[in-house]
């Protein structure tokens, strides 16, 4: 098997990491140029040709080329519904597109702090894309629930800016920046918050948080609704609304049984979508 091309799409990159390389006569094309230039030659030489697509904007000419060339591919893999929808709007054959979510670690034990409500947020979220909103919400929450903690983990986009706002809001005692490559960095949290402003696929850490049975608070966007159902496995709030975000945190902190139930529902959802077994079954159906 050969995987040709690169992508900046986090979900697609995570998916590629888990694809076994032991299949012969299969070519997986990742980048736009690889898909356009190599799909037809690969078919001529009788390679099974599979695309992994990304959630990137395409101009009219690029969309037309994708539509024409996709007819010669054997299968197209999307890592989430948002990406699938973008390609369906290009009038790609829906029968060719298969959604395969990247798998999550399922054996890691969730270890939330029992004596303190702990919030987690992915550090990839920039200050002006929701992180600043969360920090201001935490300043309000602290006045009602002093015994609370915020962990900002993973890859940190704006560490200096985040640290500055933490200092300005006097959150030093409750906010922790924890840069790490470990995918289960939110294991000690009770709640995972996704305060993103744009309607685009969320960080992959959302899937891991769901597998770790975390309650979710997220901005109400179409991309987030792919994973979160209101009051079933999380709380969806309006964009750029500090009051709604702080109130959602307070409500969950005051209702631990509800918070636990949301987390359990997320675990059930994640086992159906993000488990290694489901990933391997769907992938083998395409590769074999």
């Amino acid at each position: 098997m050969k995987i040709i091309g690169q992508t900046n799409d986090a979900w697609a990159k995570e998916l590629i990491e888990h694809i076994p390389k032991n299949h012969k006569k299969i070519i997986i094309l990742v980048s736009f140029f690889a898909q356009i230039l190599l799909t037809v030659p690969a078919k001529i030489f009788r390679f099974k040709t599979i695309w992994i697509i990304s959630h990137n904007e395409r101009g009219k000419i690029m969309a037309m080329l994708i539509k024409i060339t996709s007819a010669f591919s054997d299968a197209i893999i999307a890592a989430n519904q948002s990406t699938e929808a973008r390609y369906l709007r290009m009038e790609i054959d829906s029968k060719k597109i298969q959604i395969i979510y990247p798998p999550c670690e399922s054996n890691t034990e969730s270890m939330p702090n029992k004596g303190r409500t702990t919030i987690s947020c992915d550090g990839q979220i920039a200050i002006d894309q929701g992180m600043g909103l969360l920090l201001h919400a935490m300043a309000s929450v602290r006045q009602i629930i002093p015994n609370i903690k915020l962990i900002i983990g993973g890859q940190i986009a704006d560490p200096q800016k985040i640290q500055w706002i933490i200092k300005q809001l006097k959150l030093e005692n409750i906010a922790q920046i924890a840069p790490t490559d470990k995918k289960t960095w939110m294991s000690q949290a009770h709640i995972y918050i996704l305060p993103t402003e744009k309607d685009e696929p969320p960080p992959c850490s959302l899937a891991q948080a769901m597998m770790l049975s975390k309650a979710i608070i997220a901005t109400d966007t179409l991309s987030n609704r792919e994973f979160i159902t209101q009051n079933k496995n999380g709380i969806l709030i309006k964009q750029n609304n500090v009051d709604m975000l702080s109130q959602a945190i307070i409500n969950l902190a005051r209702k631990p049984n509800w918070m636990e139930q949301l987390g359990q529902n997320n675990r059930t959802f994640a086992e159906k979508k993000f488990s290694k077994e489901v990933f391997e079954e769907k992938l083998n159906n395409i590769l074999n």
Side-chain angles (χ1 to χ4, degrees):
M1 176 188 291
K2 290 186 178 181
I3 299 177
I4 302 175
Q6 296 180 335
T7 178
N8 292 323
D9 185 300
W11 286 78
K13 288 171 68 175
E14 191 72 21
L15 185 70
I16 292 167
E17 285 184 13
H18 291 87
I19 294 178
K21 310 300 189 296
N22 55 352
H23 291 263
K24 296 181 179 179
K25 297 294 287 185
I26 293 178
I27 290 181
I28 295 181
L29 303 177
V30 179
S31 68
F32 164 77
F33 290 106
Q35 291 162 358
I36 297 303
L37 297 175
L38 299 179
T39 298
V40 173
K43 290 295 292 184
I44 292 174
F45 287 97
R46 298 184 179 181
F47 281 89
K48 189 170 187 177
T49 308
I50 299 170
W51 289 11
I52 293 181
I53 54 179
S54 302
H55 192 269
N56 297 325
E57 290 284 353
R58 304 297 186 192
K60 290 184 179 180
I61 295 177
M62 296 174 73
M64 179 185 67
L65 291 173
I66 288 172
K67 179 182 177 181
I68 294 171
T69 313
S70 67
F72 298 94
S73 66
D74 292 287
I76 299 173
I77 299 175
N80 50 60
Q81 289 180 9
S82 295
T83 302
E84 178 195 37
R86 179 156 288 184
Y87 274 71
L88 290 176
R89 288 194 291 270
M90 298 181 201
E91 300 181 353
I92 306 299
D93 184 358
S94 61
K95 295 179 181 179
K96 285 200 172 187
I97 304 178
Q98 301 290 326
I99 295 178
I100 302 181
Y101 296 104
C104 294
E105 295 183 28
S106 58
N107 296 325
T108 301
E109 185 179 356
S110 181
M111 301 177 293
N113 189 326
K114 294 183 179 180
R116 192 179 194 184
T117 301
T118 303
I119 313 298
S120 62
C121 183
D122 197 306
Q124 294 182 64
I125 300 172
I127 292 292
D128 60 351
Q129 293 301 321
M131 183 62 72
L133 181 81
L134 172 59
L135 292 172
H136 282 86
M138 289 299 295
S140 299
V141 171
R142 182 186 55 182
Q143 298 177 22
I144 308 298
I145 304 177
N147 194 25
I148 197 164
K149 181 180 180 180
L150 170 64
I151 299 174
I152 301 171
Q155 301 295 320
I156 313 299
D158 300 319
Q160 293 181 342
K161 291 182 180 179
I162 293 173
Q163 198 68 260
W164 184 83
I165 294 177
I166 288 174
K167 186 175 181 179
Q168 292 297 308
L169 296 175
K170 299 180 180 179
L171 300 176
E172 294 96 331
N173 293 332
I174 69 168
Q176 174 189 357
I177 300 177
T180 179
D181 292 327
K182 189 176 180 181
K183 295 177 181 178
T184 56
W185 55 265
M186 74 294 291
S187 62
Q188 295 182 358
H190 299 85
I191 303 169
Y192 175 96
I193 296 187
L194 185 60
T196 48
E197 296 295 319
K198 294 182 179 179
D199 185 12
E200 57 186 21
C204 295
S205 59
L206 171 65
Q208 188 63 64
M210 298 178 80
M211 185 65 80
L212 288 172
S213 306
K214 308 305 177 186
I216 309 294
I217 300 174
T219 306
D220 190 1
T221 64
L222 286 175
S223 296
N224 290 342
R225 280 182 175 268
E226 176 179 352
F227 307 100
I228 307 301
T229 300
Q230 183 73 290
N231 295 328
K232 181 178 180 181
N233 63 337
I235 300 174
L236 295 169
I237 61 172
K238 293 181 180 179
Q239 292 179 334
N240 198 30
N241 194 313
V242 173
D243 292 338
M244 285 191 70
L245 178 54
S246 58
Q247 191 58 55
I249 296 171
I250 292 169
N251 287 343
L252 283 182
R254 285 177 168 175
K255 299 176 181 178
N257 291 337
W258 183 35
M259 181 168 60
E260 183 178 355
Q261 184 60 57
L262 294 177
Q264 290 174 355
N265 291 344
N266 273 319
R267 175 72 183 200
T268 301
F269 180 95
E271 287 175 345
K272 294 178 181 178
K273 301 290 186 179
F274 310 131
S275 71
K276 183 179 179 181
E277 293 75 17
V278 171
F279 168 79
E280 290 177 347
E281 179 182 356
K282 289 189 173 184
L283 185 64
N284 286 333
N285 288 338
I286 292 176
L287 297 182
N288 297 326

